[in-house]
Amino acid sequence: MRSRPVLTAATALLALLSFTACGATADKKDAGDSADGKPATGLRLMVPNTAGGGYDTTARTAAKVMEDAKIATGIQVFNLPGAGGTVGLQRTVNEKGNGKLAMQMGLGVVGATYTSKSKATLTQTTPLAKLIEEAGAIVVPKNSPYKTIQDLVTAWKANPKGMAVGGGSSPGGPDHLLPMQLAQAVGINPKDVNFVSYDGGGELLPALLGSKIAFGASGFGEFLDQVESGQVRVLAVTSEKPIEALKDVPTLKDSGIDLVFTNWRGIVAPPGISDADKKVWIDALTKMHDSAQWKAEMQKHGWTDAFVTGDEFGKFLTDQDKAVADILTKLGLAA
């Protein structure tokens, strides 16, 4: 299961080709030594897009669990949006040696580094931990005429350029790849897809609620509150099996569409941090992952456990970076 995001993103993008040619270094004492049994202190977690999106939800959930479980105290979560996450990435790289800072990120930032022509890259950062995987969802506002995924696909095939689909990531990110893959799966030329990019779920949701787009494609966890309140409807999820949090929603496969897609999220730190600071972060995140509170939050949000740390996560990032770079170059979305 954990290897699926690599295979899914790479395989689906290759198939798509057939359709389209401040801080100083914190010392060990300041950062807090979680190994001595005391909570880590002074940690800051940056979210590189707007409040309310998947990165934001993951980061704030992680911080709350660490606080509640007394793994860390006084964690500051803040947003620095822009350019698909690469504004935050540049800030992270610029903070070389700052062991108190980390950045929430995922597959979307990998693609954005190329499509935004970012000078900063994820391979420059210090990998801390891969946390979760999450299925995508096809979502419409409550007043949408489309009651099922089949209704939407029928209308979309009839007028693909006239139906705008929104996603909370830049081209090359998961919310862009998902509708392109869905188009391919139902027989629509991906070049005809009218994709509108938003900087995270915090911007995507108002566009969906305001009917500025016909439907949204993003991680289903970003819409759970609005689903429960009746503001939006999820027509299908992109997982292999139905999602516990959305028991009545069919998968694309159950709806006759041969597509499975998963996204992932993790945390990185600036380059050049000390081994002691890296250990503080990894120890804290490991304790968080092992806690009952985190397990409950994963079930609540419908997240799949994908926890790996340090060098293993670093290898995963390197593989993702290379695969996305190669494929986006072939698609003409990266130099």
Side-chain angles (χ1 to χ4, degrees):
M1 178 65 184
R2 295 183 185 179
S3 63
R4 183 177 293 279
V6 181
L7 297 175
T8 299
T11 303
L13 274 168
L14 287 171
L16 200 59
L17 293 175
S18 64
F19 286 86
T20 176
C22 341
T25 301
D27 61 27
K28 183 175 180 179
K29 182 178 178 181
D30 286 343
D33 185 358
S34 60
D36 64 6
K38 297 179 181 178
T41 59
L43 304 181
R44 306 177 73 220
L45 186 54
M46 179 201 303
V47 178
N49 52 25
T50 54
Y55 290 169
D56 189 67
T57 299
T58 307
R60 294 183 188 279
T61 299
K64 183 178 186 302
V65 168
M66 285 192 278
E67 292 271 3
D68 291 349
K70 298 184 173 17
I71 296 165
T73 60
I75 301 176
Q76 179 189 359
V77 180
F78 67 101
N79 300 77
L80 185 64
T86 58
V87 171
L89 176 61
Q90 185 66 65
R91 164 74 177 274
T92 302
V93 171
N94 289 348
E95 292 271 355
K96 182 177 180 180
N98 184 356
K100 289 188 176 183
L101 178 69
M103 183 182 79
Q104 179 71 62
M105 47 73 69
L107 178 59
V109 179
V110 179
T113 60
Y114 293 98
T115 56
S116 298
K117 296 179 173 57
S118 172
K119 292 181 179 179
T121 67
L122 283 165
T123 54
Q124 294 173 281
T125 66
T126 301
L128 295 177
K130 179 185 174 191
L131 300 179
I132 61 157
E133 294 172 354
E134 181 185 44
I138 305 302
V139 189
V140 295
K142 64 179 181 180
N143 59 349
S144 170
Y146 313 118
K147 305 302 181 185
T148 67
I149 189 66
Q150 290 87 353
D151 292 343
L152 185 146
V153 167
T154 298
W156 197 22
K157 290 175 73 173
N159 185 21
K161 293 182 179 180
M163 282 181 63
V165 50
S169 63
S170 301
D175 292 5
H176 173 249
L177 299 180
L178 173 52
M180 296 299 173
Q181 291 176 61
L182 179 59
Q184 177 186 306
V186 301
I188 296 172
N189 190 329
K191 292 187 294 184
D192 292 335
V193 175
N194 180 6
F195 178 75
V196 183
S197 176
Y198 295 92
D199 196 0
E203 290 188 3
L204 173 62
L205 185 59
L208 184 66
L209 294 176
S211 298
K212 294 181 180 179
I213 51 179
F215 65 102
S218 191
F220 76 88
E222 303 193 24
F223 303 105
L224 283 177
D225 289 344
Q226 287 71 34
V227 171
E228 291 176 1
S229 66
Q231 294 176 285
V232 302
R233 290 182 285 112
V234 179
L235 301 185
V237 291
T238 68
S239 50
E240 185 78 39
K241 298 178 180 179
I243 298 295
E244 181 69 21
L246 298 168
K247 294 180 180 179
D248 298 327
V249 177
T251 65
L252 289 174
K253 290 189 72 174
D254 287 342
S255 304
I257 300 171
D258 188 16
L259 177 62
V260 174
F261 177 84
T262 50
N263 186 18
W264 59 268
R265 296 187 192 122
I267 294 177
V268 298
I273 68 171
S274 69
D275 289 343
D277 287 332
K278 181 178 178 180
K279 186 176 187 303
V280 167
W281 274 106
I282 292 179
D283 283 352
L285 291 169
T286 300
K287 290 178 181 178
M288 178 204 74
H289 166 261
D290 294 342
S291 70
Q293 294 97 321
W294 180 250
K295 290 176 173 59
E297 289 292 344
M298 285 198 298
Q299 183 174 7
K300 172 185 173 182
H301 293 284
W303 295 334
T304 299
D305 188 11
F307 191 73
V308 295
T309 63
D311 292 343
E312 188 175 355
F313 180 40
K315 183 181 184 305
F316 175 82
L317 276 182
T318 299
D319 292 344
Q320 286 276 281
D321 188 79
K322 184 179 185 304
V324 172
D326 289 347
I327 296 165
L328 289 179
T329 298
K330 293 175 182 176
L331 287 172
L333 294 175

